Amino acid sequence: SFMALAAPEHGELGNLHWPPTTGDATFEEICRLALESGRAIRMHPGCHVSLDETLHVKKGKCQLRIIGDGSSVIESMGSHCIFSLGGHGRLVLEGLILQHTAPTALENGREGFDVGSAIFAMGSSSVQLIDVKLSSLNGMGLWLVQKAQLEADTCIIHGCARSGLAMFGFCRASLRECKVLGCSIHGACARGATSL
């Protein structure tokens, strides 16, 4: 099982590490272990993770925390989003580069039907970003719906083909000392009863 492979990979303060020093656990398996154990993942400087599937943070009040030094990259090349949150899930990212490079889905030969995003949050989920650089080649940077919440500090949201931040419903977002640059449609779009 992935727990048997990943369990020895904890270090100081109980953190999990990527890449692992022993075993052959995948990044997805390390993330599942982090969700189940409540431990953070510390990414080694300069490492690059390429994902084909979305990482889900949706069970109860679970939390996924990933920490980098500003040079570690998480890239999604084949999924709707890198991270998808729901329920009361919580995502905490610090010192990372997120690159959503997945193509948009086609419907009836028309591109852009399903634009995707680097982070998609719904329900009463929450996202905390600290020193994160985030981009989406064909979609949105952050997409919040329903009652999702975002706190971002010293982040850069850039190079998004749609909006850097799109909010709908009753979402709340706080951006402190952040930059939103080079987004094709909106830097930030807040509709409905949202608070930005």
Side-chain angles (χ1 to χ4, degrees):
S1 79
F2 74 88
M3 287 189 69
L5 295 171
E9 301 311 316
H10 63 88
E12 71 280 356
L13 305 175
N15 288 334
L16 300 167
H17 290 272
W18 185 262
T21 54
T22 61
D24 57 357
T26 66
F27 187 74
E28 293 86 341
E29 290 169 337
I30 295 291
C31 287
R32 283 197 296 269
L33 179 59
L35 282 166
E36 291 174 4
S37 67
R39 292 152 64 188
I41 299 170
R42 184 166 295 279
M43 294 186 72
H44 292 206
C47 67
H48 188 116
V49 174
S50 294
L51 302 172
D52 290 323
E53 299 293 326
T54 298
L55 294 171
H56 296 278
V57 183
K58 294 187 176 193
K59 290 185 177 179
K61 293 186 177 184
C62 61
Q63 173 176 290
L64 179 60
R65 183 174 182 211
I66 306 174
I67 305 163
D69 73 340
S71 66
S72 298
V73 177
I74 301 175
E75 179 179 16
S76 174
M77 300 186 304
S79 62
H80 180 263
C81 52
I82 301 172
F83 296 100
S84 176
L85 289 81
H88 292 276
R90 180 167 171 76
L91 177 66
V92 180
L93 303 176
E94 183 175 348
L96 297 172
I97 299 168
L98 301 182
Q99 298 173 338
H100 180 247
T101 58
T104 59
L106 298 176
E107 181 179 272
N108 298 327
R110 289 184 15 238
E111 187 174 345
F113 167 68
D114 182 11
V115 298
S117 59
I119 298 174
F120 175 69
M122 62 184 291
S124 295
S125 62
S126 63
V127 177
Q128 182 179 8
L129 305 176
I130 304 164
D131 297 324
V132 170
K133 294 179 184 172
L134 183 148
S135 64
S136 180
L137 182 64
N138 293 302
M140 293 179 269
L142 295 128
W143 187 358
L144 309 178
V145 299
Q146 297 171 342
K147 295 181 181 180
Q149 297 181 37
L150 166 68
E151 289 183 33
D153 292 283
T154 59
C155 294
I156 298 173
I157 302 167
H158 67 99
C160 298
R162 304 302 198 266
S163 298
L165 168 62
M167 302 169 54
F168 303 93
F170 298 90
C171 298
R172 292 185 314 163
S174 172
L175 281 69
R176 290 179 290 276
E177 297 186 42
C178 294
K179 295 179 182 178
V180 181
L181 309 165
C183 299
S184 295
I185 296 182
H186 302 105
C189 174
R191 296 187 178 173
T194 59
S195 173
L196 174 59

